Amino acid sequence: MVGLDTPTNTRSAYPPSVTDLLPRVREFAADLGECPSRNRIMTEFKVGAPKARAILAALNGEADTKPVRKLHAVTEPAEVEEPDQESEISEEPTSDDAEPQVNVTADPGATPEKVRRIKLWPVLLLALPAFVAVWSGWVGLGRLTGFGPIQLLPGIWDHLTINSAITLPIGVETYAAFALRVWLSSAAPTDRARSFAKWSALSSLLLGMVGQVAYHLMSAANVERAPWGVTTLVSCLPVAVLGCGAALAHLVRDTTDQEVNN
C-alpha cells in the first residue's frame, strides 16, 4: 500500500496539464463570449506562457502536442515568472509599428543650423552723424553758458589746457547709454537697480533733447550769452551725472535683495 501511494503523491506534485485545463478554459470562454487571450489565460488559471499557447492552439483546432510534452517536464514554479516578461513584451507594439519612431531620430551627420545674429554695423553708421550733432550742440551750449578752455595743472603745466565744454556731451550721453544698457539687459541684479536705470536713462535722454533745442534756438537768435536759468541748469549737469553714475554703479553691484530672496 505504501508503494502504491508514492507514485500518486509524485504525480499530484505536477501542475495541471493542458488536457485537465482545457475543459475549464472552454467553460471560461463560453462565459466570456469570446476566445480569451494568452495573457488572460495566464492570469485566470495561473499558468505560464507555453501552457497558455498550447491551450489556445487546442481551442483553435491546432493539434500541437510538443508544447504539452515539454510542459510536463516543468516542475519548478520559478519558470512561471518568466512568462510575465513575455506578456509585457506581447503587449508592446510590433517592430513594424516602432519603425516610425526610429525614423524620428536626428541624422548624426547633419550639421546644426546656425543662428543668425543681427548685424550691429548699421548702429555705428547711425551713431556717427548723431554723435557729430550732439557733440556740436553740447559744446556750443557750453560755450554760451561759460564753459571754455581751462588749465588742468596751473603752475605745474601751464600749457596743458582743455575745453570744459566737452564734459557735457561726454557726461550726459555716456551716462544715458550706460543706463540704457543696465535697463534693457540682465546686468541689473535687483529690480531697484533696473528701475533706477530706466528712469534715469529716460531723464538723461530727455535732458539731452532739451539742451539741443535750447542751443539751436539761441544760435538761431544770435544769442551770445545764455540766460541765467539755462546757465544754472547746464552748470549742474556734471555734478548730477556724477551722482547718478555712482548711484547706478552701486546698485548694479548690490546683491542684498538677491540674497534675501534666496
Side-chain angles (χ1 to χ4, degrees), residues 20-160:
D20 297 336
L21 290 173
L22 191 57
R24 297 168 54 190
V25 176
R26 286 197 185 101
E27 293 179 1
F28 177 73
D31 296 338
L32 191 63
E34 60 181 0
C35 182
S37 63
R38 188 195 67 171
N39 296 337
R40 189 69 180 273
I41 295 174
M42 291 169 57
T43 304
E44 295 292 337
F45 298 96
K46 310 298 182 183
V47 297
K51 187 176 290 186
R53 284 195 294 267
I55 294 173
L56 282 178
L59 290 177
N60 294 329
E62 299 178 2
D64 186 7
T65 58
K66 292 183 180 180
V68 177
R69 288 196 299 269
K70 184 178 179 181
L71 194 58
H72 286 293
V74 179
T75 57
E76 297 181 0
E79 294 183 2
V80 179
E81 298 178 0
E82 296 180 1
D84 294 341
Q85 298 178 356
E86 296 180 0
S87 63
E88 294 177 0
I89 296 175
S90 63
E91 296 177 359
E92 297 293 332
T94 60
S95 60
D96 295 336
D97 297 335
E99 287 182 357
Q101 298 179 358
V102 177
N103 295 333
V104 174
T105 56
D107 187 5
T111 57
E113 185 179 356
K114 295 183 179 180
V115 179
R116 301 178 113 185
R117 303 185 64 180
I118 300 176
K119 303 297 182 181
L120 297 180
W121 63 264
V123 179
L124 299 177
L125 186 60
L126 292 172
L128 182 60
F131 171 78
V132 174
V134 170
W135 184 275
S136 62
W138 275 119
V139 171
L141 182 60
R143 188 178 64 252
L144 294 177
T145 54
F147 288 83
I150 60 172
Q151 293 180 345
L152 289 180
L153 299 173
I156 299 175
W157 191 353
D158 294 335
H159 297 287
L160 181 60

Side-chain angles (χ1 to χ4, degrees), residues 7 66 73 78 99 166 225 256:
K66 292 183 180 180
E99 287 182 357
I166 65 173
R225 181 170 299 185
T256 304

